[in-house]
Amino acid sequence: MRTSSLLFSCLIWVVSCCSGQAPDRAAYTFSFQLTLPVQARFATADNIGNLYLIVTSNAVEKYAPDGRLLTRYSNNRLGQATWLDVANPQKVLVWYADFRTVVVLDRNLTALGELNLISAGYPEVRTVAASADGNLWLYDEVAFQLKKITPEGNVLFQSQALNMLQADRITITAICDDGTQVPASDPALGILLFDVYGQYQRSLPWPGISTFVLEQNRLEYLTDTALHIEDLQGFATREIPLPEPAKSPDARVWAAPNRLFVQRGAATEIEVWRKE
């Protein structure tokens, strides 16, 4: 555990004890939920338990929490679908990195619209994210700015030029917005925190995080052996050891709110984490 995290955790423990609220010391573990007989290139879940996969045929498939296939979307004119943002199940984002294009789908995975970022004036973007108010976040590597844009590509808010604050080149690989804060990850530098207007607040020296989940003020990310959960308010740290299937050399693993997806062979296993 990091020294700063340890000191802050001790302070939180003291405050909790004085207020009569003991800190959560319960152990957490993964338990098997179900297996989907499909091979995934990417998988995630929304906040009501629906499951979403990008399968090897390049289709996006949506499943009910019990594993029933609900609907699917396919688009082969934009290259490979590489990533999904389902923070808002009513507006699912599909990212086609090769063509720098984001497609917005409704809850039935019917296309609502698409935006080519190159045509919109953002030629160097590695990832996008849904904002809590229905717009989009991106990091513009030409202007060195985090930007919130409309679905049509118009800028609403933007950060200061981050190359004036940071000597090293910034490479943003993931962004999340929970309506109160906007963390972004640079695997070399750590987590950069912005407010909902795109203004840079501070950095957290947690390198090596390329993707993460933001859930109830918790930042969750995977390593080879565990799911790490960082409390962004108290900086308390929790680690949940990965289940054995996720440690297999041939496994691909993705974290989602309260879930873990493990793809091996021709099937994708879903695990949930809970108190023991």
Side-chain angles (χ1 to χ4, degrees):
M1 181 179 290
R2 303 175 183 85
T3 302
S4 60
S5 298
L6 178 60
L7 293 175
F8 214 105
S9 297
C10 291
L11 177 59
I12 294 297
W13 185 87
V14 171
V15 172
S16 298
C17 289
C18 291
S19 64
Q21 297 179 344
D24 183 3
R25 293 177 174 272
Y28 287 75
T29 187
F30 285 102
S31 61
F32 173 78
Q33 181 183 9
L34 58 89
T35 296
L36 297 175
V38 292
Q39 187 174 4
R41 291 207 319 260
F42 180 81
T44 189
D46 62 27
N47 55 14
I48 54 177
N50 293 310
L51 314 170
Y52 302 78
L53 277 66
I54 300 175
V55 298
T56 52
S57 66
N58 205 38
V60 178
E61 296 184 344
K62 179 180 179 179
Y63 293 82
D66 62 5
R68 289 177 295 111
L69 177 63
L70 298 176
T71 184
R72 69 198 309 268
Y73 169 81
S74 183
N75 185 332
N76 291 317
R77 63 183 176 81
L78 295 174
Q80 286 196 346
T82 56
W83 179 82
L84 303 170
D85 187 328
V86 298
N88 179 355
Q90 306 298 322
K91 287 188 175 182
V92 174
L93 302 189
V94 189
W95 175 233
Y96 294 87
D98 291 342
F99 283 73
R100 301 290 198 277
T101 297
V102 58
V103 174
V104 182
L105 310 177
D106 67 13
R107 61 191 298 270
N108 297 311
L109 301 189
T110 300
L112 296 173
E114 67 179 63
L115 176 64
N116 181 287
L117 295 180
I118 297 175
S119 299
Y122 314 106
E124 294 297 330
V125 174
R126 295 173 189 262
T127 190
V128 296
S131 68
D133 60 4
N135 293 293
L136 304 172
W137 287 105
L138 59 84
Y139 180 68
D140 185 340
E141 295 192 7
V142 174
F144 308 103
Q145 292 175 303
L146 183 79
K147 295 180 177 180
K148 178 190 279 191
I149 64 172
T150 67
E152 296 73 36
N154 301 315
V155 176
L156 295 172
F157 301 108
Q158 59 190 19
S159 71
Q160 54 271 70
L162 298 182
N163 63 327
M164 303 300 292
L165 305 175
Q166 169 66 49
D168 296 323
R169 180 176 179 84
I170 294 174
T171 302
I172 299 299
T173 58
I175 308 167
C176 285
D177 178 355
D178 67 357
T180 62
Q181 58 191 335
V182 184
S185 61
D186 179 319
L189 300 177
I191 300 296
L192 287 69
L193 292 178
F194 299 84
D195 65 20
V196 294
Y197 304 105
Q199 295 304 295
Y200 171 78
Q201 303 295 298
R202 57 194 172 97
S203 294
L204 303 173
W206 302 342
I209 303 174
S210 58
T211 62
F212 63 91
V213 175
L214 186 62
E215 184 182 13
Q216 296 178 351
N217 209 50
R218 300 188 306 262
L219 190 144
E220 305 165 6
Y221 65 95
L222 291 168
T223 61
D224 291 340
T225 60
L227 174 70
H228 297 253
I229 303 173
E230 305 280 2
D231 182 343
L232 292 177
Q233 275 190 329
F235 292 166
T237 299
R238 178 182 295 130
E239 295 181 7
I240 308 176
L242 294 182
E244 287 305 315
K247 299 176 184 177
S248 173
D250 64 341
R252 297 188 67 186
V253 186
W254 301 276
N258 203 46
R259 282 172 175 77
L260 189 77
F261 291 82
V262 182
Q263 191 276 311
R264 292 194 304 160
T268 302
E269 180 179 304
I270 295 94
E271 304 257 351
V272 296
W273 57 271
R274 54 171 63 94
K275 291 182 182 180
E276 289 184 331

